[in-house]
Structures are given as structure tokens and as C-alpha cells.
Amino acid sequence: MLIGFFVIDGAFLWVQHPPVWERIGAVVGFGAILVLQLGHSFPEFLPGTRRYRHVTWVLQALLSIVPMLLVGDAWGGMQAFLAASAVLVFPAMLGRPLFGAVTVATFLGIVISGEDAVTLLYSTVDALLIALIVVGLSRMSDLIVKLHHSRAEWSRLAVAGERLRFARDLHDVLGFSLSAITLKCEPAYRLFAESPPKAQEELAHILRTSRKALADVRSVSRGYREMSLRGEADAAVSMLEAAGIRTTLRFDAGVLPGPVDTALATVLREGLTNMLRHSKAAHCGSTAERTAAGVRLTLVNDGVDGGAPSVPGSEANGGSGIGNLTTRISAVNGRLEAGARPDGRFELTAEVELLAAV
């Protein structure tokens, strides 16, 4: 578009059949102004001159005004680009007054040249429209460049978020299953010599657990994994019994929405996994009950280890454990609390408002 405008202005000068020296000067001058205008409209065109943009605008002003004193109004089209550059180069507080000053100066120059009213009106409107078009196209180009950069940044953040989700899901899925397999393998190993049938039964359970872990990993890789609080509770009973931990379960939560059921099931699974890793519990109790606003899941165990997390979100920066659970519960408009009680037991509580979660 810029090159087209310069070609038109050059054609107006050429049809007047000026001397050869004037034609050569016009080609050189128009070329220099075009390069400066491209640098002002598209800063990446001349990145090395960006810090000197005020100086280059003054140079463009000299190239736009001084030749007009020699060749007359045939050079007048260059003032439109000078006005546009004033808005593009300077802050609005200075650029807009300069735009108006250049436009008024162009109008006065046409008046002084003695042109008729029709030519005066045409030239003034033409200069104003060209300046506005150049400003609009230049800023639109800048917005497009920024949009492409923003899209690239959004894509990077989306990939980072998906990696975090995948790592969190993988941690939650495999932590519980591998803990169960480990607990089952130890008694099965000891039973090989004492009671082969019992050992075979334990190995069968290990096989089922490993198959479930494989299915969970595949569901994570597909990006969607739905869990059931009741199903996780049933699976937890056999694992805790194998570990010699007395278990008390009471679930009166009824039917829950899918996202809430999955989030609470994850809390139960990860809470039990952390208990097995960080404590020497002899008894574990878990309840799920309706509240006035939603549902509450509570997991309590004894044998607290000093290395266990004792405050909500204490592992948030590490990307696992309590931090993962806090993220999941927050996603369904819930809150998570974890810490040691005065009686020495460790308590993990997740509460979700069902109406807000739906």
C-alpha cells in the first residue's frame, strides 16, 4: 500500500516533464522517504534505527519540506506520510498535535500556491485520508504481529498446563496402585513356603491391581479419567487389611455429580497413599457425608510421621501430594484442609459445595 501511494505521487511529478536532474532527485528523495516511512510503520523493518526514531522523523521532515521549495506542489504528497509518521513515532500527547500541524501546513501551502477551490479541497482531503490510512494499516500490522506472539505464548502455556495435568494424574494413579502392589507382594513372598494356595490368592489380587493400574495409565494418556468414591473405598479396604491396618468406613454421600465424585475419589486414593508412605498407622477411618451445602469427605489415621505434610498445600510447589489435591478440589469449587489434630491423629478433609460445583 505504501509503495502504491509513492508510485502515484511519483507519477504526478513525472507527467509534468521536469528536467532530468529533478527526476533523478525525485527518485532518490522518494526512495529515501519510503525507507524512512517503512521504518516508522514497521519498526522491525529497520530495527537498528528504532532508538533514533525521533531523529529519523526530523530527517523525513527535511526530505518532505525542503524539496517542495524547489519543485513546488508536485512534492506535496510527501507531507501526508510525514503527518502519519508523527503519530507513529511520538507519544499521543505530541504526535497528534504534530499530525494536525503538518496537515494545516499542507493546506496553507496549497492555498499559497494559488490553486482553485476544487483542487484545494481535493488535495487537502487526499492528504488527510492518506495519512489516516497509513496510520491505520501500520497499527493493524502491529496488532497482527502481537496477536501471533500471543497465540504462541498461549500455545506454550497450554502445553505446560497439559504436562502438569498429565504428571498430576500419573502421580495420583500410580501412587496408590504401586503401594497396593508392594503391600501385597511382601506377604505373598512369605506365604510361598507356608501356604502356597494363600500365596496364589495374593498373587491373583496383585495381578488384578496391576491390570487396573495399566488401565488407569491408559485413561490418563487419553486425557479423561472418571473415578468413583465408592469404588475407591472398596479397593482401599482390601489394601489396608493386607497392610494390617484396621479400617472404618462410613459413606452416606449418595449419588454425586461425575466431576465431584472423581475429585473426592482422588482425595481418598491420594490420602491413603500418603498415609502408607508417611505414617505407621494402625487404624484408619474415613467418612463421606452430606452437608447443608454439599458433601464432606474426611480421612483420619494415627501413627503420624513427622515428615508428613501438616498444612494445606504444603506440597503445592512440588507438584504432588496435598498440592495436587488442593488443585483438584478447587476445580470443583471446594476446599481442602490437612493437618495433625490435638489428639495426635492426622486428618484430611475435603468439602465441596454441590450447587456451585454443578
Side-chain angles (χ1 to χ4, degrees):
M1 182 66 73
L2 288 176
I3 293 174
F5 282 141
F6 275 85
V7 169
I8 292 173
D9 287 331
F12 276 117
L13 179 62
W14 204 269
V15 296
Q16 296 182 9
H17 303 290
V20 176
W21 68 268
E22 191 172 318
R23 296 184 182 185
I24 297 175
V27 171
V28 175
F30 279 20
I33 295 176
L34 175 60
V35 171
L36 292 173
Q37 184 61 53
L38 289 173
H40 295 156
S41 295
F42 315 109
E44 67 277 5
F45 181 76
L46 296 173
T49 62
R50 183 174 301 183
R51 64 177 64 182
Y52 307 110
R53 298 185 74 188
H54 297 169
V55 177
T56 56
W57 185 86
V58 173
L59 179 60
Q60 183 178 355
L62 295 175
L63 291 173
S64 302
I65 297 174
V66 174
M68 191 174 178
L69 303 177
L70 302 176
V71 300
D73 60 350
W75 201 272
M78 297 297 100
Q79 278 72 52
F81 301 104
L82 180 63
S85 292
V87 177
L88 298 173
V89 169
F90 296 98
M93 185 178 297
L94 179 59
R96 291 176 181 176
L98 283 176
F99 180 92
V102 173
T103 303
V104 171
T106 302
F107 173 78
L108 294 177
I110 299 173
V111 171
I112 295 173
S113 65
E115 298 289 349
D116 58 85
V118 175
T119 303
L120 174 62
L121 178 62
Y122 170 80
S123 300
T124 303
V125 174
D126 178 67
L128 182 60
L129 289 179
I130 290 177
L132 293 175
I133 290 172
V134 171
V135 171
L137 292 178
S138 300
R139 288 185 169 173
M140 183 177 68
S141 174
D142 182 58
L143 288 176
I144 291 173
V145 171
K146 290 180 179 179
L147 176 60
H148 282 294
H149 290 167
S150 298
R151 283 181 174 177
E153 181 64 15
W154 291 338
S155 298
R156 187 189 67 79
L157 292 176
V159 170
E162 182 62 15
R163 286 175 177 170
L164 179 60
R165 181 203 66 79
F166 188 85
R168 184 171 58 238
D169 286 356
L170 203 60
H171 170 272
D172 293 343
V173 167
L174 291 184
F176 183 84
S177 298
L178 293 179
S179 297
I181 291 172
T182 301
L183 289 172
K184 289 289 185 179
C185 283
E186 291 176 352
Y189 179 79
R190 293 192 300 267
L191 288 172
F192 262 119
E194 302 173 5
S195 178
K198 185 64 175 176
Q200 186 176 7
E201 181 182 342
E202 293 292 337
L203 289 175
H205 188 275
I206 292 171
L207 182 60
R208 290 194 299 271
T209 304
S210 64
R211 286 173 176 170
K212 184 177 183 301
L214 179 59
D216 287 341
V217 170
R218 286 174 176 170
S219 67
V220 169
S221 66
R222 289 194 300 268
Y224 180 75
R225 180 169 55 93
E226 189 171 280
M227 299 169 60
S228 166
L229 180 59
R230 173 60 66 179
E232 289 301 317
D234 294 339
V237 171
S238 61
M239 184 191 75
L240 294 176
E241 288 179 351
I245 299 175
R246 291 181 292 108
T247 307
T248 303
L249 299 178
R250 182 170 60 85
F251 288 82
D252 301 320
V255 179
L256 300 174
V260 176
D261 203 14
T262 298
L264 293 178
T266 303
V267 171
L268 179 60
R269 171 181 284 201
E270 179 63 21
L272 293 175
T273 302
N274 284 345
M275 180 189 70
L276 294 173
R277 289 176 179 173
H278 301 300
S279 73
K280 299 177 181 179
H283 178 265
C284 173
S286 180
T287 61
E289 56 187 352
R290 292 277 185 165
T291 63
V295 61
R296 180 190 300 115
L297 173 68
T298 304
L299 184 64
V300 181
N301 69 87
D302 55 10
V304 177
D305 187 357
S310 59
V311 294
S314 62
E315 295 182 63
N317 295 333
S320 61
I322 301 300
N324 277 354
L325 299 182
T326 301
T327 301
R328 290 182 181 278
I329 292 299
S330 298
V332 292
N333 200 54
R335 62 179 181 275
L336 185 80
E337 296 180 358
R341 302 194 316 192
D343 60 3
R345 294 173 178 264
F346 186 85
E347 181 175 279
L348 177 68
T349 303
E351 190 166 1
V352 178
E353 296 182 13
L354 292 183
L355 293 179
V358 175

